[in-house]
Amino acid sequence: MKKILLAAGLLLAGATAASAATLDTVKQRGQLVCGVSTGFSGFSLPDSQGQYRGIDADYCRAIAAAVLGDPNKLRFVGLTAQNRFTALQSGEVDVLMRNSTQTFLRATSIGLRMGPVNFYDGQGFAVKRDAGVTKVADLNGASVCVAQGTTHEVTLGDFARANKITFQPVVFERPDTMYQAFFAGRCDAMTQDASALAGAISVAPNPGAYMVLAETISKEPLGPFTRNGDDQWSNIVAWVHYGLIEAEETGVTAANADAEAKGSNPVVQRLLGSSGEFGSRLGLSNDWMLQAVKAVGNYGELFERNVGANSPLKLQRGLNGLWNRGGLMYAVPYR
């Protein structure tokens, strides 16, 4: 019996050590290594000073602030569609925050764990405004720029077969070269997540000459990926997201977070660490979400700053609005 108990104890200890591996590594290193795209306006794109800006970049900062107390203790690694999952599997990055679509096969076949959806999107098409194209069916027989190794490449073929139309795919290894080709006139249309297309057009040589069709042909739920078997770290990544949603829902912002932490709202007290011991359950300080919100703001602030109506992308909240305002963003309760 003692041997059985000892073996069980060793197995449990081994599992606990494995589950805490990434958190321990990040703390010992004193820096979060975050995998992002090589350049999507509004999501992760270096500015004129070389600093990554966008929704994905801000999520990386929020995690760094939650774990290390400082959003600047962070290194970004730009990844392509081809090497993004391998980089996470190999440990090159701690978390993949690279506008990656969540699918059945990605959930079951690549040894990675999908986090909560942080942006609801759909595959769209960009065309020239003077092309006379108003719907996807108008592109029958058209050449379409598409990035290799993405869900868009597969969905493009699926849609064509299901709707008995023909596309002539022009495949590119990198999105930036795809953009250059489309704006140079090599393709009649370009397909990608509608938000990414809006971002590409916003920095095009002549933005007014292009538009994104209103029609989308797929569901593209975007969110972070972590490694399987690392439950503690996966929970941290997930609950940072839920915390940013809860902060918006309760009116906590980057500017008022310190004051709200001293307030009387019990939900906000738990969220910001004024009561309860939620941080210790994840191996973090109790003010972990206070640090995250102070670093990037709540989800609404993050959205509006990077892709919202006053940003170059000018996107509406739509499905990315809060659940009680007609959207799908819903935080699991902090209790």
Side-chain angles (χ1 to χ4, degrees), residues 83-138:
N83 67 8
R84 55 184 163 176
F85 296 123
T86 302
L88 179 59
Q89 291 163 341
S90 67
E92 181 183 346
V93 298
D94 302 315
V95 58
L96 181 64
M97 196 68 67
R98 186 202 177 281
N99 59 318
S100 298
T101 301
Q102 300 185 352
T103 69
F104 174 85
L105 289 178
R106 287 177 177 175
T108 60
S109 305
I110 57 177
L112 299 178
R113 178 170 165 178
M114 300 187 306
V117 176
N118 63 16
F119 195 91
Y120 290 94
D121 212 337
Q123 183 171 339
F125 292 81
V127 297
K128 293 191 70 173
R129 286 189 180 275
D130 62 6
V133 175
T134 60
K135 56 185 182 299
V136 178
D138 294 337

Side-chain angles (χ1 to χ4, degrees), residues 223-247:
F225 284 76
T226 53
R227 286 180 288 275
N228 273 345
D230 204 341
D231 293 344
Q232 184 179 35
W233 182 249
S234 295
N235 281 334
I236 289 170
V237 172
W239 282 98
V240 165
H241 166 72
Y242 292 134
L244 297 179
I245 301 296
E246 188 89 327

Side-chain angles (χ1 to χ4, degrees), residues 5-323:
L5 290 175
L6 178 59
L10 290 173
L11 182 61
L12 178 61
T16 302
S19 70
T22 303
L23 178 60
D24 289 346
T25 298
V26 171
K27 286 184 173 181
Q28 291 167 8
R29 187 195 300 129
Q31 183 184 59
L32 174 72
V33 181
C34 202
V36 294
S37 70
T38 53
F40 280 140
S41 180
F43 287 82
S44 58
L45 183 70
D47 62 16
S48 57
Q49 283 76 46
Q51 295 294 317
Y52 273 91
R53 303 297 176 192
I55 286 179
D56 292 341
D58 278 349
Y59 264 95
C60 294
R61 292 186 177 92
I63 295 170
V67 174
L68 301 170
D70 186 344
N72 297 313
K73 290 184 176 180
L74 170 66
R75 179 167 62 88
F76 292 103
V77 177
L79 301 170
T80 66
Q82 287 73 34
N83 67 8
R84 55 184 163 176
F85 296 123
T86 302
L88 179 59
Q89 291 163 341
S90 67
E92 181 183 346
V93 298
D94 302 315
V95 58
L96 181 64
M97 196 68 67
R98 186 202 177 281
N99 59 318
S100 298
T101 301
Q102 300 185 352
T103 69
F104 174 85
L105 289 178
R106 287 177 177 175
T108 60
S109 305
I110 57 177
L112 299 178
R113 178 170 165 178
M114 300 187 306
V117 176
N118 63 16
F119 195 91
Y120 290 94
D121 212 337
Q123 183 171 339
F125 292 81
V127 297
K128 293 191 70 173
R129 286 189 180 275
D130 62 6
V133 175
T134 60
K135 56 185 182 299
V136 178
D138 294 337
L139 292 171
N140 188 22
S143 58
V144 181
C145 288
V146 62
Q148 185 180 37
T150 63
T151 56
H152 312 120
E153 189 178 10
V154 176
T155 303
L156 185 66
D158 288 348
F159 182 85
R161 287 188 292 273
N163 292 274
K164 296 180 173 56
I165 62 177
T166 302
F167 296 124
Q168 300 175 30
V170 183
V171 181
F172 295 87
E173 183 177 354
R174 295 171 58 94
D176 53 349
T177 55
M178 177 180 72
Y179 298 153
Q180 293 168 10
F182 173 68
F183 294 129
R186 286 187 55 190
C187 308
D188 300 314
M190 174 170 63
T191 189
Q192 198 178 29
D193 293 341
S195 61
L197 294 175
I201 289 175
S202 73
V203 294
N206 184 9
Y210 305 94
M211 67 177 187
V212 179
L213 298 181
E215 183 181 359
T216 57
I217 65 171
S218 71
K219 294 179 291 185
E220 301 293 330
L222 310 179
F225 284 76
T226 53
R227 286 180 288 275
N228 273 345
D230 204 341
D231 293 344
Q232 184 179 35
W233 182 249
S234 295
N235 281 334
I236 289 170
V237 172
W239 282 98
V240 165
H241 166 72
Y242 292 134
L244 297 179
I245 301 296
E246 188 89 327
E248 181 182 8
E249 194 171 319
T250 54
V252 177
T253 67
N256 71 15
D258 280 324
E260 289 293 319
K262 300 173 184 176
S264 58
N265 186 325
V267 175
V268 173
Q269 287 182 343
R270 290 192 294 269
L271 175 69
L272 301 181
S274 301
S275 68
E277 295 295 332
F278 288 80
S280 63
R281 296 171 185 271
L282 294 172
L284 304 176
S285 64
N286 219 40
D287 67 346
W288 61 295
M289 273 311 305
L290 173 63
Q291 298 303 323
V293 174
K294 287 171 63 175
V296 303
N298 62 43
Y299 182 83
E301 292 179 282
L302 182 152
F303 184 99
E304 294 301 330
R305 177 172 62 247
N306 292 301
V307 301
N310 294 319
S311 76
L313 274 68
K314 303 185 184 308
L315 299 181
Q316 300 299 314
R317 286 292 293 269
L319 296 179
N320 295 298
L322 292 180
W323 65 279

